[in-house]
Amino acid sequence: MKGNIVYKYIKRGLISVSNEHYKTLQFYKGTSRKMSKSASTYSDSETSIESSYMNNGMRLVCDYRNTSTTTIGCFIPNGAMCENPEERGSSLFLEHLLFKRTKCNSQEQLESLLEEIGAKVEVVALRDMFLFYGIVVTCKVEKLVQLFADVILNGATCDKDVETEKCLILHQLSRMSSDREKIVMDYLPSVAYEGTALANSVYPETRVIKKFRTQSLIEFRKRILQTCFITMVSTGCISLCELQKIVGKHFSCCVNTNKVQSDKETLEFRFSGVELRIRDDDHELGYVAIGVEGPSYKQREDHLALTVAKEIVGSWDRTYGGLNHNAPYIAHFAYNTDLCELYKSFFHNFAKSTSIWGCYFASDKLCLEFMINLLQSEWLKLCTSITEKEVSRAINQCITKELQVSNDPINHFLNIVESIYRYDCYEPLEERIIQYEKITPAKIRKVSETYIYDQNPVVVALGRIENLTDYALIRDGMYSLKY
């Protein structure tokens, strides 16, 4: 940490929350629309979301909430997947250097400004998105927006800064090498989307970092940090009209009342059923991730159903309470048999058109085969014999998580960012809860049959994995002749 600037080196994910898509709630370019709020026992605060465009192409999304602080930030739908071959590593370096200096201010001056207004800024580089945001008391939002404008319009990069960050990044990657879960989950999309832009990890090879050139970062920064690509999101006690005035003042632009921009073409990414095995007997356990291609965010009903299915399979590790009374069958079995050290169902979304649904686990080498069999048995159960009780429990868990997200200012902000980026609208909490409650076992079975049953999985394994089931047998386990 330097001053009040907090750099996110490790955390690469946004909150994965499913929201039902309604055409009546879409934001239209060049207009400002309020989203209706229905009565619900789940909500206790007045919220209103509006959207508009400035004539420099920047989009503004404002979520008015009666709070004493405001979370505000910008995202660009360009991440590591937009790096040219000679620019590999640029998004990671930009994450580290975005608030390093500008043409008008040195690093000390930027840090002094943040300390003066009591703000903290975080920067996150993803495969498909670049995001930076801060939280500040509402009366000082303008100064934070002024800082963002300075960074976007007057950003500067020098050789000295790049060389300094090389050492920090290499040290950070060295520390990351001990986190097997992050390694496996970072490899997963690289293997699944091999040969496509999504195969580009935010973390390039060590040799790439050592040879990284300042000019590559300057060109990458100039290409992606354009106002026409930027969406600024605000959640707090500031209205859209106030935000428009502030942005217009510091970005030298005005509100655009005409619908002049068209949607960018949605890229399609090829998912491959393949495996990557990295055997290392120095590890005590085997670390495995297995997943299938899921729906895009725009396939709303399917996406929501698989979110509930993820909760049905569940997650567990040895720190969990509940002892012998864990509801997910795998968790119950693991507690009684030492089947695994932990397992985590996941549902990761990429860009606007694809996702990976699956499970990560860590097991002793002698339990790997049985863990794979048990996991696939639970997946097939989703396709055939899931019960009303299991679906109801999972729906309640999903609703609880939605409520937790809405009550945390940072997570709520990230939720809006993800929603706006992936399907161009944000659905009120009440509507999402209604859609969760409409999900039935029949819907879970139908969607699971489409995306899980008889599909080619992607598998990434690391550590003591000599007893891991062969890929051909894992593929055979994705269907059953008794079905």
Side-chain angles (χ1 to χ4, degrees), residues 206-461:
T206 301
R207 59 179 177 81
V208 173
I209 295 177
K210 290 180 178 179
K211 296 180 180 180
F212 188 80
R213 299 182 302 110
T214 304
Q215 187 60 34
S216 297
L217 179 56
I218 293 174
E219 294 173 357
F220 180 76
R221 181 174 189 160
K222 182 178 179 180
R223 192 173 76 249
I224 74 163
L225 283 183
Q226 300 183 40
T227 55
C228 60
F229 297 146
I230 295 175
T231 298
M232 181 176 288
V233 178
S234 169
T235 173
C237 194
I238 183 171
S239 67
L240 179 63
C241 183
E242 292 173 317
L243 185 61
Q244 288 171 342
K245 292 178 181 179
I246 294 173
V247 171
K249 176 181 177 181
H250 296 290
F251 284 87
S252 300
C253 58
C254 59
V255 179
N256 178 19
T257 58
N258 298 316
K259 186 178 179 181
V260 295
Q261 293 199 4
S262 59
D263 290 329
K264 295 173 66 176
E265 181 181 357
T266 301
L267 299 176
E268 298 293 336
F269 300 98
R270 182 189 67 255
F271 181 92
S272 300
V274 68
E275 70 170 4
L276 173 66
R277 300 188 182 214
I278 306 174
R279 179 173 174 178
D280 185 352
D281 290 344
D282 289 337
H283 293 293
E284 296 182 0
L285 304 172
Y287 307 89
V288 182
I290 175 172
V292 294
E293 184 178 19
S296 72
Y297 255 57
K298 290 187 179 293
Q299 296 169 285
R300 300 305 304 128
E301 292 185 2
D302 292 353
H303 196 281
L304 205 63
L306 278 183
T307 301
V308 175
K310 175 179 75 73
E311 294 299 328
I312 293 175
V313 179
S315 302
W316 178 86
D317 65 45
R318 294 195 177 278
T319 65
Y320 276 37
L323 299 179
N324 197 33
H325 306 289
N326 292 289
Y329 180 73
I330 298 179
H332 178 84
F333 199 90
Y335 174 80
N336 286 281
T337 63
D338 293 327
L339 173 66
C340 63
E341 294 297 311
L342 63 90
Y343 81 96
K344 297 179 180 180
S345 297
F346 60 80
F347 193 5
H348 295 327
N349 298 273
F350 302 98
K352 295 185 178 183
S353 59
T354 188
S355 63
I356 301 179
W357 185 96
C359 186
Y360 164 84
F361 63 87
S363 293
D364 182 86
K365 66 176 183 179
L366 298 179
C367 297
L368 291 173
E369 183 175 5
F370 189 74
M371 181 63 189
I372 286 286
N373 292 338
L374 183 61
L375 178 62
Q376 290 184 306
S377 175
E378 287 299 289
W379 286 3
L380 290 178
K381 182 181 176 182
L382 294 173
C383 305
T384 58
S385 57
I386 196 66
T387 66
E388 180 70 37
K389 182 178 180 180
E390 291 172 301
V391 173
S392 177
R393 173 184 61 82
I395 289 174
N396 290 333
Q397 289 180 326
C398 289
I399 291 175
T400 300
K401 290 183 178 181
E402 294 278 4
L403 294 171
Q404 289 175 334
V405 167
S406 67
N407 288 332
D408 181 272
I410 297 297
N411 287 338
H412 179 65
F413 168 83
L414 295 176
N415 181 216
I416 294 177
V417 167
E418 186 177 42
S419 301
I420 299 300
Y421 170 52
R422 302 205 186 280
Y423 51 92
D424 296 326
C425 82
Y426 179 76
E427 183 184 21
L429 174 63
E430 297 83 358
E431 299 294 340
R432 281 177 273 155
I433 291 175
I434 290 173
Q435 295 309 308
Y436 274 121
E437 293 174 343
K438 289 181 179 179
I439 294 177
T440 64
K443 179 63 177 178
I444 296 292
R445 288 192 290 268
K446 180 180 177 181
V447 172
S448 298
E449 182 179 0
T450 301
Y451 294 97
I452 303 174
Y453 188 80
D454 200 21
Q455 298 299 311
N456 295 317
V458 58
V459 179
V460 175

Side-chain angles (χ1 to χ4, degrees), residues 81-254:
M81 71 178 188
C82 297
E83 296 173 350
N84 295 324
E86 64 275 10
E87 296 175 338
R88 285 293 290 123
S90 293
S91 58
L92 181 59
F93 274 90
L94 184 58
E95 178 191 70
H96 285 237
L97 296 173
L98 183 65
F99 287 90
K100 196 75 170 181
R101 71 177 72 246
T102 68
K103 296 175 183 178
C104 306
N105 294 289
S106 64
Q107 180 182 1
E108 292 75 17
Q109 289 172 317
L110 293 177
E111 292 175 353
S112 177
L113 175 60
L114 287 172
E115 290 176 355
E116 178 185 339
I117 63 177
K120 290 187 177 181
V121 175
E122 296 194 5
V123 189
V124 183
L126 305 172
R127 289 175 186 259
D128 56 348
M129 184 197 305
F130 191 86
L131 167 70
F132 55 94
Y133 63 93
I135 184 168
V136 66
V137 292
T138 301
C139 63
K140 298 181 179 179
V141 166
E142 182 172 353
K143 291 187 176 181
L144 186 56
V145 173
Q146 182 180 3
L147 174 62
F148 288 166
D150 188 28
V151 168
I152 294 170
L153 302 177
N154 305 310
T157 306
C158 66
D159 292 332
K160 179 181 178 181
D161 292 339
V162 171
E163 291 303 316
T164 300
E165 291 305 316
K166 280 184 182 180
C167 298
L168 295 176
I169 291 173
L170 289 171
H171 177 66
Q172 194 68 35
L173 293 181
S174 176
R175 292 176 56 189
M176 281 183 59
S177 63
S178 62
D179 193 328
R180 281 74 173 185
E181 180 180 351
K182 290 187 181 297
I183 294 174
V184 170
M185 297 308 296
D186 189 61
Y187 272 124
L188 192 68
S190 296
V191 174
Y193 300 104
E194 185 176 5
T196 72
L198 273 179
N200 285 350
S201 170
V202 174
Y203 305 104
E205 296 85 352
T206 301
R207 59 179 177 81
V208 173
I209 295 177
K210 290 180 178 179
K211 296 180 180 180
F212 188 80
R213 299 182 302 110
T214 304
Q215 187 60 34
S216 297
L217 179 56
I218 293 174
E219 294 173 357
F220 180 76
R221 181 174 189 160
K222 182 178 179 180
R223 192 173 76 249
I224 74 163
L225 283 183
Q226 300 183 40
T227 55
C228 60
F229 297 146
I230 295 175
T231 298
M232 181 176 288
V233 178
S234 169
T235 173
C237 194
I238 183 171
S239 67
L240 179 63
C241 183
E242 292 173 317
L243 185 61
Q244 288 171 342
K245 292 178 181 179
I246 294 173
V247 171
K249 176 181 177 181
H250 296 290
F251 284 87
S252 300
C253 58
C254 59

